[in-house]
Amino acid sequence: MLEVTGLNGWYGPAHILFDVDLTVGPGEVVALLGRNGAGKSTTFRAVVGLLAKRSGRVRFAGRDISDLPTHDIARAGLGYVPEDRRIFTELTVAENLEVGRQPARAGAATWTPERLFELFPNLGAMRTRPGGRMSGGEQQMLTIARTLMGNPKLVLLDEPSEGLAPKIVEEMATAILAMKGEGVSVVLSEQNLHFARLISDRAIIIERGRVRFDGTMAELEARPEVRDAYLAV
Amino acid sequence: MSPPLLAVEHLSKAYGGVHAVQDVSFTLAAGELLAMIGPNGAGKSTCFNMLNGQVAPDAGQVAISGRDVTGLPPRQVARLGIGRTFQITATFPSMTVRENVQVALLAGAGRMNRLAGHAGASFVAEADELCRLVGMGHAAGRPAGELAYGDLKRLELAVALANKPVLLLMDEPTAGMAPAERVEMMRLTADIARESSLGVLFTEHDMDVVFEHADRVIVLDRGRIIAEGTPAAIRENPAVRATYLGEGLTFGHAPAAGARAHA
Amino acid sequence: MSFLLVQFLTGLAGACSLFLVASGLSIIFGVTRIVNFAHGAFYMAGAYVAYSLTTRFSGGLGFWGGLVAAALVVAALGALIEIVLLRRIYHAPELFQLLATFGVTLIFQDLSVMIWGPEDLVGRRAPGLQGAVDVFGQAVPLYDLFLIVLGPTVLGLLWLLFHRTRFGILVRAATQDRDMVAALGVNQKWLFTAVFGLGIFLAALGGALQLPRDAVSHTMDLRIIVEVFVVVVVGGLGSVTGAFVAALLVSELNAFGILVLPQISLVLVFAVMAVVLVVRPFGLFGKAEGPARPAVAATIRPWRVFGPRERLAVAAAVGLAALLPLVAGNYLLAVAAELLIFALFAASLQFLMSTGGLVSFGHAAYFGLGGYGAAFASKAFGLPMAGAVAAGIGLAATGAALFGWFCVRLSGVYFAMLTLAFAQIAWSVAFQWTAVTGGDNGLLGIWPPAWASSPRVFYLVALAAAVAGIAALRILVFSPFGYGLRAVRDSTLRAESIGLDRIRMQWAAFTLAGAVAGLAGALFAFLKGSVFPDNLGIPLSVDGLVMVLLGGVETVSGAVVGALVFRTLTILLMSYTDASKLVLGLLIVVLVVAFPRGIVGSLSEFLARRQDRAATARAGALKPAE
């Protein structure tokens, strides 16, 4: 589904990512783990074309998207939910969803507001409420729902649990598993190993811009030294 | 009996009909670390902003050592000995680390209106001492604009400590830091607070940090205080579990009650 | 009574065009975050093109078709400018965006004179609406009634566009977060172009609709832009409804103000604006912006005081300049004195911009006030030169303190617009209050006393003043006050929480910078022997910004170099070409796009890079091969 090879990224003069490789299969949930500043958000930004300077190849759903602008990458079916939610506070819930709407896509689940309200019942009860009047957890649900409106084949979720109450984080886990059930691949960046463990098939650990571990969740559990070295839980 | 360091009574604030903070009252003693937790949007930031005068409350009172400071602008509250750090660090990127602290010292000494004399040459020793205190002594000459996030948080602490505050308000002091750094940062703060018997009020999402360092915890939900007590009591409080903590699947094994690293 | 009603209706009709132009500016600002200074130019272009389409080539389109076609043509031109110019500067600091669009205004001014000639043009009346109707015994033009209905209609259509169409929802989303909209699959480049085109369409339509009411002239751009700034500042930038209400308010104030005191109607409008800003700093319908973007990009490299080598170099430069009278003739000395005066003016603006972070688009007001102050003192009270210059400084500082009190309450683009508006008031007072200021004829015969009347001595006086003034500014930069100003500029939040008073510090900086500009203006009056309203006009304010930008915003020396180069260029340009605005406009645009760091900035960057390279080469030579 997603195949990243030799990805390098720069932030101004600073070289942040070094030859990052990662692959995600159809319907797979992969956790990108690492400390703050390890390069998780930068990896996502590089994949969706929001980084000014980068090199390397990104193939998605059988096509090379390395040089496409951000909006064309989104139109290819690759959804991206940035770390700080960024819902449109002046727009209502329904309008927020409208911004994310894209035509139905072959080979991907088709989402409508009605279907999304089933997945996130809270949102259905507040369709005309401005985004700015929602709680943090509701806003996080809305950003995910908004991205699903584009009928993506794969979604990059940047720190979905950051700043949320533990209880909302549990609801988030349920929603991500539901997406997986619809065949949507998910890559989520996390610092919270407990949360990642609940939902992921595979883990990739990134540290100082390099991939240090790539394997199944069970393999990671079996190697506490890796966890201790790079995650400092 | 002398009045408490910080006394908050019946504080309320509404935005466009939504009650951000409703009837919040609590006190904080010198040398105490008080954590304020709660879901996003529970009113923690609004509460903080009312304490240091950035937001004017609709009703209620804030008193510092018995003196009513309700409605004073931030700069006057600051002059009463309130240091503050922000959720998103606020420093002066065009200055060096040392200069950041020097400006705070100059401001505290009321010397900011001088039109001549080199500001970079004043309070050098004091500034360097503060930089050392927060572990930034080696970086005193570096521009703040190129510091890593964790170092910015330290710098903010040095700036907040510059004028010998009696009370520190820290809004998510460890947000965006690596777990190991978080623990170190809070330990540093706790040590400083106990040494100079500062009161510290902080908000935090990392429950491990809260349960390890706080003397007392207040839980806010939808603008109201729903629970208050020791970390151990809060962990077991059913109302808090229902609205905030959940089943505890997503945070680690905080030490049991009473086992805090408290000398 | 009925007379008042008719006056009221005139005000309503006048509000229509004002609303169209202001709403266009607001919509563009909302999405692109650019305050389009060229908006007045597009308004003017709309009027000129409509004139041509309805009078010379009226076949086929008819009058109404001609108006709409004119707006469409100009909107297409606007879209082209967006693609070619604005796309390159969306991420540039505000100052550059304001300047670049101002450059476009200058280009339009000269082009319109070249194409349509310098004379005012009177357009056709609207067919079918030439007549008037009787309202309580007073004649009200039918066309006015048409405009009264058109304004609210456009407001309603815009509301529908923004709330009932996908395009509108995307525009509102992009107003808040452009990158997020792109990440959701929307091509924001074309969204921006479409929004810019829409805003320009509204401006051009506003201009075209004025055709039956007013003559078309090449000064209508600056006139409307100042009024539009007042409207958006009062109504709140980004709010279409705010633009509507404020346009009505301003237009009515104009209509009734003219009855009460014709000369003072402008002052009345500004008084209302001042009150609104004090009560609601973001306008009637505006929302508090997040922390303002830095107007000038902040350098990471912290400033430091001169080392011994740099001090020596500065001393040598001043010494050389003091020797100039030994070799130069009288004309050259007069030119050199003028250059020094402008270097001082530019340095005062640079101080305000870089240390204070305040980009003033009306700094010439204090230069001019300095000149007028000196002129009054010397002519009316017979003060000697030193006393007159002191009076000039005093008047400039007073003016800066008065205007500054309002301006520093705002920040970013609001600050820029307000400073420009105040400078325009100062200009119109100087222009209209003929009894005191001599109006357009200015005040003449302000000469230095006998001892300083030779160009040689006056040059040395100017040199001494410039060196003293610039040195004082540099001392200020490194003083506690200067650090405090930078602190406030870097992070108001942090500065206030360590006990600094932003407004008071910036007010003091504004007044100080105004006083130094006043010194320059007073000297200029004595150099030229006269003062004219141009000395406080907007073009001179913009010249000042270009000088600072040309040299490099970041350093005092940049301002000095920029002033010397720019003034020399202008003097040469004046003698070689008539199209000086066109050349200046192009220069500004090229500067902003290609050399945003200016001469000194680019030079020091170049030197730093060479040093780095040398250092790496040395390090490489020392290190054994790995």
Side-chain angles (χ1 to χ4, degrees), chain C residues 12-39:
Chain C
L12 283 186
C16 180
S17 279
L18 200 51
F19 161 63
L20 288 179
V21 184
S23 64
L25 188 84
S26 246
I27 292 167
I28 291 174
F29 175 80
V31 175
T32 66
R33 296 283 132 179
I34 285 186
V35 171
N36 178 26
F37 266 35
H39 218 61

Side-chain angles (χ1 to χ4, degrees), chain A residues 188-207:
Chain A
L188 63 138
S189 79
E190 263 303 330
Q191 295 190 62
N192 185 338
L193 181 61
H194 310 290
F195 173 63
R197 197 185 273 148
L198 285 178
I199 51 177
S200 315
D201 303 315
R202 233 156 28 88
I204 293 173
I205 295 180
I206 188 165
E207 166 70 16

Side-chain angles (χ1 to χ4, degrees), chain A residues 35-36 85 133 135-137 162-170 191-192 194-195 198 231-233, chain B residues 16 18 39-40 176-180 182 205 207 241-252:
Chain A
R35 291 180 183 136
N36 205 283
R85 304 206 182 94
R133 295 267 192 89
S135 74
E162 170 77 19
L164 294 184
K167 183 164 186 281
I168 306 288
V169 176
E170 286 168 17
Q191 295 190 62
N192 185 338
H194 310 290
F195 173 63
L198 285 178
L231 298 181
V233 181
Chain B
V18 178
N40 265 358
M177 291 174 111
R182 294 184 181 202
H205 277 295
M207 289 307 119
R241 292 187 83 94
T243 55
Y244 187 60
L245 293 180
E247 297 307 313
L249 296 175
T250 60
F251 58 90

Side-chain angles (χ1 to χ4, degrees), chain C residues 310-325:
Chain C
E310 285 137 317
R311 279 179 202 209
L312 207 65
V314 171
V318 171
L320 277 180
L323 293 178
L324 187 69

Side-chain angles (χ1 to χ4, degrees), chain A residues 75 86 88-89 95 98, chain C residues 166 172 176-177 185 287:
Chain A
R75 286 181 190 177
R86 293 167 69 171
F88 304 114
T89 50
E95 286 172 336
E98 170 64 26
Chain C
R166 178 166 164 86
R172 280 163 60 219
Q176 193 183 340
D177 191 338
K287 287 195 199 71

